[in-house]
Amino acid sequence: MSRTLALRNETTRGDDSGVSVVELIVAMGIFTMVLVVSLAATVSMSNQAVSAQVVGDTASQLRKTFQSMDKELRYADAINAPGTSGGNIYVEYQVPATAIHGEELCVQWRYVTASNELQRRTWTPGTDADLTGWSTFVTDLQNDLTKADEQPFALHRAGPTGSKVFLRQGLDVYLDAGLSNNKVDAGSQLDVYMVARNSSAESVSNDPSGTQVCLVGGAQRP
């Protein structure tokens, strides 16, 4: 009877021996690997969510910019040559009175290099009495302004260019927006050519040596 009890006690003591140091190290290693993989997956999902949000936001901003320019520029009768003032890049166009705009309208856009934003304001030609404040349309712009083909605005004058003759003035608009430095992972781009249907070779601003519209007696390029 006592012998059976002793064997049971020995068996019980053997079951309570626990795990070895080697087994503990192996278990901790496996847990660490699982934790690293989980964290990597979480970071990747977070980055993808941020990228998706950036693409959505910039696409919405650029779509709003395009719609505003398209509605106005197609009716413009003159576009100024883009210029720089205070480190910022400006362009203006004049919209005659139409069914959309009951009065003539001057529209000015600027690329703010310090904050990488695109802004817009308007006024009536010849006066700055109704000059509006700046409205920001696009943020996080990343045009490489050291490159000629990444300038935000470029004027195409009416008249002969090489073997072609352009009847109207046009404006090239290129905007690169987003967070990615390599311009692939996140963000959106607007690259469009718009024609001012009411302009011609006789438009005041079409002559390189001529007077620019909207900047005489009205607002300037600050």
Side-chain angles (χ1 to χ4, degrees):
M1 185 73 165
S2 59
R3 185 176 180 182
T4 302
L5 181 60
L7 289 174
R8 287 180 179 175
N9 288 337
E10 290 179 0
T11 302
T12 302
R13 285 196 296 271
D15 291 341
D16 291 340
S17 61
V19 296
S20 66
V21 174
V22 173
E23 291 173 332
L24 182 60
I25 292 174
V26 171
M28 291 178 63
I30 294 174
F31 176 76
T32 301
M33 291 177 62
V34 172
L35 184 61
V36 169
V37 171
S38 299
L39 288 175
T42 301
V43 170
S44 177
M45 292 174 61
S46 177
N47 289 339
Q48 290 177 1
V50 170
S51 297
Q53 183 66 43
V54 169
V55 170
D57 291 346
T58 56
S60 177
Q61 292 176 350
L62 293 176
R63 180 169 55 252
K64 179 182 177 182
T65 300
F66 170 78
Q67 290 172 344
S68 180
M69 286 186 170
D70 180 58
K71 183 175 65 176
E72 298 164 347
L73 251 174
R74 69 170 62 199
Y75 298 108
D77 56 17
I79 306 173
N80 286 340
T84 302
S85 178
N88 302 319
I89 305 172
Y90 292 82
V91 71
E92 302 83 21
Y93 48 83
Q94 180 173 278
V95 184
T98 64
I100 298 177
H101 301 286
E103 300 179 352
E104 285 186 306
L105 183 70
C106 285
V107 181
Q108 184 178 63
W109 294 86
R110 73 174 177 181
Y111 186 115
V112 184
T113 56
S115 58
N116 294 318
E117 295 178 335
L118 181 72
Q119 299 179 335
R120 171 187 177 274
R121 66 178 181 174
T122 65
W123 64 90
T124 300
T127 178
D128 59 1
D130 59 351
L131 176 66
T132 65
W134 290 106
S135 297
T136 299
F137 273 64
V138 186
T139 58
D140 297 316
L141 287 166
Q142 55 182 14
N143 291 45
D144 186 348
L145 301 178
T146 63
K147 298 180 179 179
D149 60 353
E150 290 200 29
Q151 298 304 304
F153 316 115
L155 172 66
H156 289 254
R157 301 183 188 277
T161 300
S163 60
K164 298 180 181 179
V165 177
F166 293 93
L167 301 178
R168 306 283 183 265
Q169 288 180 308
L171 185 68
D172 263 326
V173 179
Y174 175 75
L175 300 170
D176 187 4
L179 296 179
S180 174
N181 290 327
N182 59 19
K183 306 181 182 182
V184 174
D185 295 337
S188 302
Q189 293 178 337
L190 175 65
D191 189 359
V192 63
Y193 175 70
M194 300 183 181
V195 176
R197 297 181 180 178
N198 290 312
S199 66
S200 69
E202 303 302 320
S203 295
V204 174
S205 62
N206 196 63
D207 185 348
S209 60
T211 303
Q212 292 184 313
V213 296
C214 293
L215 301 180
V216 178
Q220 300 297 314
R221 293 174 174 176

